Amino acid sequence: MKASAIANANIALVKYWGKRNKELMLPNNGSISMTTEGLCAHTTVEFDEKYTQDQLVLNGNEIKPGTEDYDDYVGKFLSVVRQISGTDLKVKIVSNNNFPTAAGLASSAAGFAALAAAVSKALNLPMDAKNLSMLARRGSGSATRSVLGGFVEWKRGEKEDGSDSYAEQIVDENFWPEFRMIICVTSKKEKKVKSRAGMAQTVKTSPMYKAWLETVDNDLETVRKAILEKDFTTVGKTAEENCLKMHATMITTKPPIIYWNAGTMEIIHAVMDWRDEGLESYFTIDAGPQVKIMCLEKDVNEIVKRVKQFSHIEDVIITKPGSGVKIVDDHLF
Ligand code: DP6
């Protein structure tokens, strides 16, 4: 009962921020993302009688049951898996990311998409993409979208049981191969406020949250249509505006959540200046200080050359639309 899977991370163009049901991990709004090629989690699971307790090794570090990092994430997810499958076998999980964990690079998205796929294979729970995305959702909201490749929409859904809150592919990874995200890593430190706690606090305290929710459906429609038309200007502009609206709700949370650092600000201003010069690029930022610059393939070299000259850059990663989760034979133990 051993299986492995690899899943790519994703970066949202229309963001998910806030839950309507914490237990079932149901969002207050729909979201759209690009699955990012090459930024991945590789996960192996084994359910076996030889294990006397659940075990998780993430990037070489053991995360023990009883800690918040375990109980609120993998622990909670495994209870769902045991409920669905009926198994009471203990499991060993080993997972490696090839990018910085918890620094706003959607590590939980790739991790839980890979974990959901590996678990369903190991326990022989046959699942289509829709059901797999709903299982991944129970681990982390953004993981719902990493099950599929290309550009993906996570439907908010209306039902209380969450059965209509799943991922749907808008177009696959081969549809728009010229689309690029340049990830500018401005700090590799773990962020102080995790997305889960941050969004709950925003929903509770930000006076801007209601306004955010009122505009998201419109952004979803605009971005969905612009992706299908390969209208880069509309995708980039709408995604950038959507990101700034989400950050407005974060900044106005009590106490304030400000994920940006000096490096983040430097890039925001630069991207806006480049656009005035005719170098078309837009930015988006998640729950961390990294800036993801959206551009087309033809402008990648020029933008990377400029980004590397900034003082706060720790890493630059170029990514394009990537594939959905895959079961692999390559086990990590
Ligand atoms: C800002 O999916 O990490 O990246 O569902 O609580 O695990 P949980 O949160 P998570 O939140 C992601 C928030 C975001 C926006 C996005 O990816 O849509």
Side-chain angles (χ1 to χ4, degrees):
M1 298 176 97
K2 190 173 193 173
S4 297
I6 293 186
N8 285 316
N10 69 76
I11 294 168
L13 301 167
V14 179
K15 310 291 187 187
Y16 144 59
W17 195 247
K19 295 179 180 64
R20 64 191 160 92
N21 181 323
K22 292 193 181 94
E23 202 46 46
L24 295 174
M25 306 281 281
L26 300 176
N28 269 330
N29 63 273
S31 52
I32 292 178
S33 58
M34 184 190 94
T35 304
T36 50
E37 186 193 62
L39 285 179
C40 54
H42 181 179
T43 304
T44 299
V45 305
E46 183 178 40
F47 289 85
D48 198 287
E49 278 165 2
K50 71 185 173 201
Y51 299 121
T52 54
Q53 59 172 34
D54 292 333
Q55 217 184 314
L56 169 67
V57 183
L58 183 58
N59 297 321
N61 301 313
E62 188 167 356
I63 302 182
K64 287 205 180 349
T67 58
E68 195 187 308
D69 277 354
Y70 182 90
D71 294 350
D72 287 358
Y73 293 84
V74 169
K76 214 171 146 226
F77 179 77
L78 288 176
S79 322
V80 174
V81 167
R82 293 202 165 98
Q83 207 184 316
I84 296 172
S85 66
T87 188
D88 49 16
L89 287 172
K90 300 293 183 204
V91 64
K92 177 172 177 180
I93 304 169
V94 176
S95 186
N96 292 329
N97 293 333
N98 65 351
F99 54 93
T101 301
L105 283 183
S107 54
S108 66
F112 277 107
L115 183 60
V119 159
S120 61
K121 172 81 180 162
L123 293 175
N124 203 9
L125 307 167
M127 282 196 193
D128 56 11
K130 172 179 162 183
N131 282 297
L132 196 56
S133 77
M134 289 199 283
L135 178 60
R137 190 195 80 216
R138 302 297 294 273
S140 181
S142 51
T144 316
R145 302 181 307 237
S146 267
V147 165
L148 291 161
F151 292 86
V152 179
E153 178 163 359
W154 172 19
K155 303 275 178 192
R156 174 195 191 272
E158 298 301 325
K159 294 185 184 164
E160 277 187 17
D161 67 359
S163 57
D164 57 353
S165 185
Y166 54 86
E168 252 177 21
Q169 190 172 58
I170 299 173
V171 291
D172 73 13
E173 60 272 30
N174 302 313
F175 178 80
W176 199 357
E178 301 83 12
F179 197 100
R180 291 290 180 283
M181 294 253 195
I182 301 172
I183 303 174
C184 309
V185 179
T186 63
S187 167
K188 289 186 180 169
K189 278 195 216 131
E190 287 233 355
K191 59 199 179 199
K192 284 194 197 123
V193 183
K194 288 192 178 149
S195 357
R196 188 159 304 177
M199 66 175 78
Q201 194 65 10
T202 297
V203 172
K204 237 199 288 177
T205 65
S206 169
M208 304 291 162
Y209 191 69
K210 191 167 164 274
W212 153 259
L213 283 183
E214 280 166 7
T215 69
V216 178
D217 279 347
N218 203 22
D219 291 349
L220 287 169
E221 204 183 309
T222 305
V223 169
R224 200 186 297 128
K225 183 164 169 279
I227 289 170
L228 289 167
E229 290 168 357
K230 295 192 193 173
D231 174 353
F232 177 68
T233 303
T234 304
V235 171
K237 189 169 168 287
T238 314
E240 187 177 290
E241 285 166 4
N242 183 271
C243 152
L244 289 170
K245 285 186 285 186
M246 176 183 71
H247 281 271
T249 74
M250 294 163 160
I251 291 166
T252 50
T253 294
K254 292 169 199 132
I257 306 170
I258 304 174
Y259 285 113
W260 302 351
N261 62 21
T264 317
M265 286 308 298
E266 189 174 21
I267 302 169
I268 288 177
H269 287 293
V271 167
M272 291 181 3
D273 289 345
W274 299 341
R275 269 203 313 260
D276 291 344
E277 274 175 41
L279 178 60
E280 199 176 11
S281 50
Y282 300 88
F283 61 83
T284 187
I285 306 159
D286 291 292
Q290 328 313 352
V291 184
K292 291 94 176 187
I293 301 176
M294 290 165 269
C295 67
L296 291 172
E297 186 182 11
K298 64 180 176 55
D299 293 321
V300 167
N301 290 346
E302 179 61 26
I303 292 174
V304 169
K305 194 178 89 194
R306 294 184 184 199
V307 164
K308 285 192 169 158
Q309 284 160 7
F310 293 142
S311 40
H312 303 278
I313 297 294
E314 295 194 10
D315 214 346
V316 179
I317 306 163
I318 303 163
T319 179
K320 62 180 187 180
S323 61
V325 67
K326 288 192 178 92
I327 297 291
V328 294
D329 292 331
D330 187 6
H331 298 316
L332 295 172
F333 62 93

